[in-house]
Amino acid sequence: MIITFGTFGISTQYVSTLVSIVLIYGVLFSDRSKKLAATQTELTMATRIQADMLPNIFPAFPERPDFDIYASMDPAKEVGGDFYDFFLIDETHLGLVMADVSGKGVPAALFMMCAKIILQSCAMLGRSPADILTKTNEA
């Protein structure tokens, strides 16, 4: 059986093959779109985790007129484990941290959050910078 479109004749076999290809492409594209949406959702969540953990109230130490500090972070492409932190260790010492956790997404953001807490906790115990990093790596 031949179906005629304009001046071209197309057999039903080719039409059914073409329709099958289009349907398969639609299913594959739909699956890929779902994966892409899931990845985008994860990156959005990681961005929120990261942004909420970074210092974002300025001036950071309004009771300290002897210094002021400000920082911001703008990821180049995707969220990762990059982070910074600053905190008063005691009356005369300010702790500064700038780090890059390997990886992307929620796992990197959560690891960054844990590392930040461990670093600050070790610093507040009055340890040396070398000891702080050693203890953080061990944890």
Side-chain angles (χ1 to χ4, degrees):
M1 173 174 170
I2 301 289
I3 300 175
T4 305
F5 294 100
T7 58
F8 300 101
I10 302 174
S11 76
T12 56
Q13 178 183 5
Y14 294 122
V15 170
S16 65
T17 302
L18 182 59
V19 168
S20 296
I21 290 170
V22 168
L23 289 173
I24 290 170
Y25 178 77
V27 168
L28 292 175
F29 183 74
S30 173
D31 188 49
R32 185 172 181 185
S33 294
K34 288 176 186 175
K35 288 180 183 176
L36 185 61
T39 300
Q40 186 58 44
T41 300
E42 180 181 345
L43 288 175
T44 300
M45 186 183 311
T47 300
R48 176 183 272 157
I49 291 169
Q50 186 178 41
D52 289 346
M53 288 303 297
L54 298 176
N56 56 13
I57 298 173
F58 300 102
F61 307 105
E63 70 282 357
R64 298 294 302 258
D66 49 329
F67 71 93
D68 194 10
I69 188 167
Y70 176 83
S72 68
M73 188 180 71
D74 301 312
K77 291 184 179 183
E78 298 174 332
V79 67
D82 301 337
F83 74 97
Y84 65 87
D85 194 12
F86 46 83
F87 47 88
L88 289 173
I89 296 172
D90 57 33
E91 287 298 315
T92 59
H93 293 90
L94 175 69
L96 297 172
V97 179
M98 289 174 276
D100 181 9
V101 176
S102 65
K104 301 269 185 253
V106 173
L110 292 174
F111 188 84
M112 175 270 301
M113 186 172 66
C114 292
K116 179 182 178 305
I117 292 166
I118 294 166
L119 281 164
Q120 185 173 358
S121 297
C122 288
M124 299 296 237
L125 294 173
R127 298 175 186 260
S128 71
D131 200 25
I132 292 168
L133 293 176
T134 299
K135 294 298 181 190
T136 301
N137 281 331
E138 287 173 0

